[in-house]
Amino acid sequence: MSVRSQVLSADALDQLKADHSRIFVLSSREKIQRILFFGFAFIVFLYCFWRTGFFDFAAILNGLTKLTDVLRFMLPPAHNGFLGEFLYAMLETLAMAFLGTLLASIAALPLGFMGAKNVIPNTFFHFGLRRIFDFIRGVDSLIWALIFVSVVGLGPFAGILAIAVGDTGTLAKLFAEAIENVEKKQIEGIKASGANNVQTMRFGIFPQIFPVLLSNSLYYFESNTRSATILGIVGAGGIGLQLSDRIKINNWDEASFIICLILITVFLIDTLSKEIRIRIIKKAH
Amino acid sequence: MYGFPMNSRIIADDPVAAFQAAHAKLQKQRRFNNILFSCLFLIITAVSLYVGEVRIDVILSDLPGLFRYVYDTIPVMAPQTALEDFREWYWAFPKWLSLLFDTIIIALLGTTIGTIGAFFICFPASRNLVKNSWVYFFNRRGMEIARSVPELVYAMIFVFAFGLGPLPGVLAIAVHTCGALGKLFSEVNENVSEQQIEGVQASGANWPQTIRYAVVPQVMPNFLSYALLRFEINVRAASVIGFVGAGGIGQELMFVIRQFVYTDISAIVLMIIATVAVIDISCEKLRHQIIGDEELL
């Protein structure tokens, strides 16, 4: 095929525009629609900005000056001799995430079986249980933390419970979906060899879903490490407590040190858990 | 058969013995691995239990309190006075509704500002669109830092700078969203078709023109869908960002939890869940419309 090279004349360009007017010229109806849409969006955003105080320019300017001051105080990050305390708080955070995820996984396992359509085929039961999972998932772990702090008192135990309860709903839903996606053939095979219901679950369903469960739990451990870092802000122990204390008394260099510590830990946990998850999935296939 | 070592000489000699030997070896290795992982798991659990200050006597003494707490949040409702009881339960409904409206606005503005920021950062952070590796590197790292720090931490810092109110909440969500969406956006950019870029470049377009006419039309539906997904996440985040004084329903919720106003807790939590559910469902519908059912992210 030969390559043609040509330059369009001005007339030819006009002719093209006239021929394909749908592309180059908007119809008046489209124009009005567009103006109305953008005008409406503009007014809505103007109202939102006004309501949240973006038009208080003096306050914003003042805030920006304060923010630059804060950034200046944050550099360089320093632990001022509290390194051991920070590291222990970080360990506490990791322990909270680990135990929270562990408890949630243990609780979610039977709930997942109960919520799976192919295990309990009753529609009402299935629907009701799934709505309960949704309800638990709808409440943020920080709200659970605040509630548990007022029940069991300050400390990491409240954080563990908050993570456990909040994630039970999510993991139960994921487990139920994994169980619904198992292959029928293996179950039929086990049943054909004379297994009862429990044995079918153990040898027909469980080996199929175990890698999925493990990798989901690991993934949630990863994400819980992130959420556990802030649970301390409402009094549930760990590094968040240290961080909010430092910010409250304006120790900005220590605060930025803690933030760096959080970033490094989250990065390490992410990498480690991703590595393990890839291995689990590979082994399963 | 490919799971076992194929050694034709042994198989020729005695296939059953070879199979049993290989099987025993695999089983031994597996048992060793299982014991190793169980030990590791037990050690981690033991350390966590110690560090997490979990004590069985404390759990047992707290358990009744937990059930009483849940019981206390259930309002008194009699069938004959249901309406009045309900009215008493939601005694501050207009105030809570207005705070919830604030929460949605915080999420909306935070998502919008963050999405606009991410839109401008994501193109220089896509490997296929920038030749200069330093530009790429710094944009990528910047986005990583923006999304790795939790919203609540930004909120605490911004509350100190700008004072109590919704403004620091909006800014905190915007910064976090910018980092989170920037990463997703640049991943979308890295998957665009090269042919259209080459075509537009061949007609003499410079870098901004290439982005505008070759990349943006390809990625826009995915961007919008991701932004809507982020909005759903941000509504949840905005409902708790008030815990540190950054506006919305969170501040009120924290107050009633701290003051043990039990029925108010359940009233507000139910309102939050309902709002989140309504927004989730409507956003999902919108996303289906934007990119079609089969490609839903």
Side-chain angles (χ1 to χ4, degrees):
Chain A
M1 212 164 84
S2 67
V3 178
R4 272 191 309 160
S5 156
Q6 75 181 87
V7 175
L8 285 175
S9 68
D11 287 344
L13 202 61
D14 288 340
Q15 185 60 42
L16 268 178
K17 279 188 181 171
D19 288 349
H20 304 281
S21 60
R22 277 284 295 117
I23 300 172
F24 291 100
V25 188
L26 289 174
S27 74
S28 53
R29 193 163 151 243
E30 275 176 322
K31 257 186 213 161
I32 292 173
Q33 267 180 352
R34 240 175 227 207
I35 290 170
L36 277 180
F37 176 75
F38 283 108
F40 180 69
F42 182 72
I43 291 170
V44 167
F45 277 105
L46 219 56
Y47 171 73
C48 292
F49 276 118
W50 171 78
R51 196 178 159 111
T52 47
F54 268 86
F55 291 139
D56 190 354
F57 295 114
I60 289 199
L61 208 65
N62 183 26
L64 284 176
T65 354
K66 260 179 143 175
L67 198 61
T68 44
D69 284 346
V70 167
L71 287 178
R72 234 187 21 243
F73 291 139
M74 275 185 164
L75 296 171
H79 56 78
N80 298 344
F82 288 108
L83 184 63
E85 209 172 301
F86 293 160
L87 286 179
Y88 187 79
M90 201 70 226
L91 192 69
E92 209 172 84
T93 298
L94 287 176
M96 278 157 60
F98 180 77
L99 286 181
T101 318
L102 185 66
L103 273 178
S105 306
I106 293 171
L109 195 60
L111 286 174
F113 269 101
M114 286 199 294
K117 226 183 287 183
N118 50 353
V119 178
I120 298 179
N122 185 330
T123 319
F124 286 107
F125 184 78
H126 173 80
F127 185 81
L129 201 62
R130 284 295 181 93
R131 291 296 82 75
I132 293 176
F133 295 165
D134 284 346
F135 178 82
I136 298 174
R137 273 188 318 134
V139 182
D140 197 277
S141 64
L142 217 56
I143 299 178
W144 286 120
L146 204 54
I147 290 175
F148 281 121
V149 163
S150 54
V151 177
V152 301
L154 298 168
F157 186 50
I160 294 170
L161 289 178
I163 292 175
V165 171
D167 268 10
T168 301
T170 322
L171 283 175
K173 177 182 174 265
L174 288 172
F175 288 2
E177 275 164 9
I179 293 165
E180 280 172 3
N181 287 331
V182 294
E183 233 180 286
K184 280 234 169 69
K185 284 178 193 164
Q186 303 188 25
I187 300 172
E188 279 165 15
I190 301 283
K191 269 191 185 153
S193 69
N196 61 23
N197 274 340
V198 176
Q199 283 169 333
T200 314
M201 277 189 200
R202 167 65 187 87
F203 295 104
I205 301 178
F206 195 70
Q208 288 193 57
I209 58 166
F210 187 64
V212 183
L213 305 194
L214 206 57
S215 105
N216 269 327
S217 296
L218 264 173
Y219 178 77
Y220 272 85
F221 170 60
E222 208 177 303
S223 102
N224 284 336
T225 312
R226 281 161 212 254
S227 37
T229 56
I230 52 168
L231 290 183
I233 294 171
V234 296
I239 195 82
L241 189 64
Q242 300 281 345
L243 180 59
S244 76
D245 279 354
R246 293 310 184 278
I247 290 179
K248 265 177 206 154
I249 56 171
N250 292 335
N251 264 355
W252 293 105
D253 52 347
E254 284 169 36
S256 67
F257 185 85
I258 294 175
I259 292 174
C260 291
L261 197 65
I262 292 176
L263 292 184
I264 294 168
T265 313
V266 167
F267 173 77
L268 286 180
I269 295 287
D270 275 11
T271 319
L272 194 74
S273 128
K274 209 174 280 168
E275 196 67 27
I276 300 175
R277 274 190 293 136
I278 288 171
R279 286 211 185 153
I280 292 172
I281 299 281
K282 256 191 201 153
K283 222 177 180 181
H285 288 297
Chain B
M1 304 301 127
Y2 29 79
F4 292 100
M6 291 282 271
N7 191 325
S8 54
R9 196 181 55 81
I10 297 180
I11 288 175
D13 283 355
D14 186 0
V16 177
F19 175 83
Q20 279 173 341
H23 187 244
K25 201 176 154 199
L26 272 179
Q27 218 169 20
K28 202 175 157 194
Q29 199 181 354
R30 198 163 170 188
R31 196 172 295 147
F32 177 74
N33 275 347
N34 280 348
I35 291 173
L36 188 76
F37 281 117
S38 307
C39 285
L40 202 66
F41 182 77
L42 283 179
I43 291 170
I44 293 176
T45 311
V47 171
S48 299
L49 284 173
Y50 175 74
V51 174
E53 294 167 23
V54 181
R55 293 212 321 272
I56 198 77
D57 52 324
V58 179
I59 298 174
L60 287 179
S61 66
D62 281 339
L63 212 56
L66 194 59
F67 287 118
R68 204 174 48 243
Y69 193 95
V70 174
Y71 179 76
D72 283 342
T73 60
I74 302 168
V76 186
M77 287 272 212
Q80 54 270 37
T81 57
L83 205 66
E84 277 102 81
D85 286 341
F86 192 78
R87 200 170 285 157
E88 198 175 323
W89 187 22
Y90 276 96
W91 63 277
F93 188 66
K95 183 173 105 188
W96 293 337
L97 208 60
S98 148
L99 283 170
L100 211 52
F101 187 57
D102 267 353
T103 300
I104 295 171
I105 284 181
I106 291 170
L108 182 69
L109 279 187
T111 313
T112 313
I113 298 172
T115 308
I116 293 171
F119 182 84
F120 284 106
I121 296 174
C122 73
F123 297 110
S126 311
R127 187 153 282 188
N128 55 340
L129 300 177
V130 280
K131 298 284 167 284
N132 187 335
S133 59
W134 283 107
V135 174
Y136 169 83
F137 181 81
F138 278 114
N139 270 303
R140 272 282 155 125
R141 293 294 92 74
M143 292 184 327
E144 233 156 60
I145 291 172
R147 74 166 179 278
S148 301
V149 179
E151 280 121 343
L152 222 59
V153 175
Y154 284 124
M156 280 196 289
I157 296 169
F158 289 144
V159 163
F160 174 78
F162 294 96
L164 298 172
L167 180 72
V170 172
L171 294 177
I173 288 182
V175 174
H176 190 82
T177 301
C178 187
L181 281 183
K183 180 193 174 229
L184 293 172
F185 283 6
S186 53
E187 272 163 13
V188 173
N189 289 336
E190 282 169 0
N191 287 322
V192 296
S193 135
E194 287 291 319
Q195 286 170 341
Q196 303 187 29
I197 298 178
E198 280 169 18
V200 172
Q201 272 172 348
S203 69
N206 58 19
W207 196 77
Q209 285 170 333
T210 312
I211 299 294
R212 167 67 188 84
Y213 292 104
V215 183
V216 170
Q218 291 189 59
V219 296
M220 214 50 199
N222 281 336
F223 279 17
L224 274 178
S225 167
Y226 274 134
L228 278 172
L229 198 66
R230 196 68 219 179
F231 176 60
E232 289 171 31
I233 298 170
N234 284 345
V235 172
R236 286 162 210 262
S239 66
V240 292
I241 213 159
F243 286 4
V244 294
I249 191 86
Q251 227 158 329
E252 178 77 8
L253 180 58
M254 180 144 106
F255 179 77
V256 297
I257 292 177
R258 289 258 161 97
Q259 299 298 317
F260 296 98
V261 195
Y262 290 108
T263 54
D264 282 11
I265 299 172
S266 58
I268 294 176
V269 167
L270 282 178
M271 275 176 85
I272 292 176
I273 291 176
T275 314
V276 167
V278 167
I279 285 175
D280 276 8
I281 291 167
S282 32
C283 277
E284 205 182 317
K285 283 235 168 80
L286 258 176
R287 287 196 297 132
H288 274 282
Q289 276 189 355
I290 289 173
I291 57 172
D293 292 347
E294 71 280 1
E295 304 186 79
L296 196 70
L297 300 164

